[in-house]
Amino acid sequence: MTDLRTYISGRSSGEALQTATVEAILALAGAAARIATVIREPDASVDFAATRGSANADGDIQKALDVICDEIVAAALLAAGVATYLSEEREDPVPMNDDGLVIVACDPLDGSSNIDTNLSIGTIFSLLPAAAGPFQPGRNQLASGFFVYGPQTTLLLTMGQGVHAFQMDSSGIFHLLDWAVSIPAQTSEFAINAANSRFWNAPVAGYVADCVAGADGPRGRDFNMRWLGSLVADSWRIFRRGGVFLYPGDRRTGYNEGRLRLVYEAAPVAFLVEQAGGSATNGAGAVMDIIPEHLHQRVPFLFGSYTEIDEIVRHHSLSEPPIRKE
Ligand code: AHG
Ligand code: MN
Ligand code: MN
């Protein structure tokens, strides 16, 4: 079996930026192995779901495990020579190494609401060239991926030449899986938090209504729904068997641009999605082309099998622009 280090080192030309990219990915894999162990081993002295009483930079209440993961990732990236660390859990970009060549954006722990429910959670990352500064479009990414801490500890990774999947063994080594990662073009499965349906805009409400109408509606076939509350877990399923994920903007206060963050959630997942033959949009254009204006910027995020995303975009083009709360 091929391990992660051998696999990605073999794909590097040895040029400095590529070497720095490989080092950062290996540092993230080391951090993920530590996080997986922290989650798996019993420890009566910590309550990982305990709130810290403080909100993170985006207004979410931090849980103990959010902070532990952020510290593990930051220490690994500092030691790996990374230039700047962009984290969901930090207010501002964190300068690390003056001579570093890559920026790493990271959601150290995705799916925090599932921490104490024994459902899958994960770590999302995006690597960018340091020379172009902290806020660059997803199109500039050198690599992106996410780890999932679930029944298996896994990694989905792209360095811009397709998507590669790995599974961790009991000693923390990630092994390449025999899986040509490609999001099936056709699907009858959608993921959305239906509890927010009364706040949806017309295009999203119209698309979901058509799916729910199933064989009796315009789609002429039945659909199924899944929503795990962990972007990483919903994404892994979509890479495996197709489907679409929708976290649109809605009319709730503070949710005009949805919930997910562009820099360290949507852009890295969008890079993987495009590399696996799917598409990722905010309803108006590709998520990969959006230039962030600030670290914690949100974005409506709709991605998955491209035939369904085309259908969702068609709904957007039929409608008035998304409803904005004044
Ligand atoms: P995080 O735990 O990093 O704050 O991200 C949670 C995200 C994402 O994982 C998930 O898809 C979404 O929030 C769930 O949102 P709702 O609770 O609104 O359904
Ligand atoms: Mn997240
Ligand atoms: Mn998080």
Side-chain angles (χ1 to χ4, degrees), residues 136-162:
Q136 306 175 43
R139 218 41 91 193
N140 280 15
Q141 289 173 101
L142 301 163
S144 79
F146 61 81
F147 300 90
V148 183
Y149 315 113
Q152 305 161 339
T153 296
T154 54
L155 163 64
L156 267 190
L157 173 70
T158 184
M159 297 171 75
Q161 292 174 311

Side-chain angles (χ1 to χ4, degrees), residues 236-301:
W236 189 278
R237 184 192 63 252
I238 288 168
F239 282 92
R240 262 292 181 204
R241 68 181 193 211
V244 286
F245 175 102
L246 299 90
Y247 210 124
D250 66 48
R251 284 189 296 266
R252 286 174 296 161
T253 302
Y255 285 81
N256 284 354
E257 297 296 316
R259 172 178 168 84
L260 297 172
R261 282 59 59 105
L262 174 60
V263 173
Y264 44 78
E265 291 179 319
V269 172
F271 191 17
L272 289 164
V273 167
E274 288 197 0
Q275 286 291 318
S279 36
T281 177
N282 66 355
V287 165
M288 289 279 278
D289 292 326
I290 303 172
I291 302 171
E293 287 167 17
H294 58 90
L295 176 51
H296 303 289
Q297 179 172 332
R298 295 182 181 211
V299 66
F301 193 28

Side-chain angles (χ1 to χ4, degrees), residues 88 107 109-111 124 260-261 265:
E88 179 187 359
D107 178 353
L109 188 72
D110 177 66
I124 308 172
L260 297 172
R261 282 59 59 105
E265 291 179 319

Side-chain angles (χ1 to χ4, degrees), residues 5 17 26 37 41 62 92 98 124 163 170 206 214 220 226 246 267-268 270 277-278 290 298 304 314-315 317 325:
R5 177 181 292 276
L17 186 57
L26 293 174
T37 305
E41 299 298 324
Q62 285 180 321
D92 297 307
D98 289 344
I124 308 172
V163 178
S170 56
R226 286 283 183 280
L246 299 90
I290 303 172
R298 295 182 181 211
R314 187 182 69 78
H315 274 271
S317 62
K325 193 180 169 90

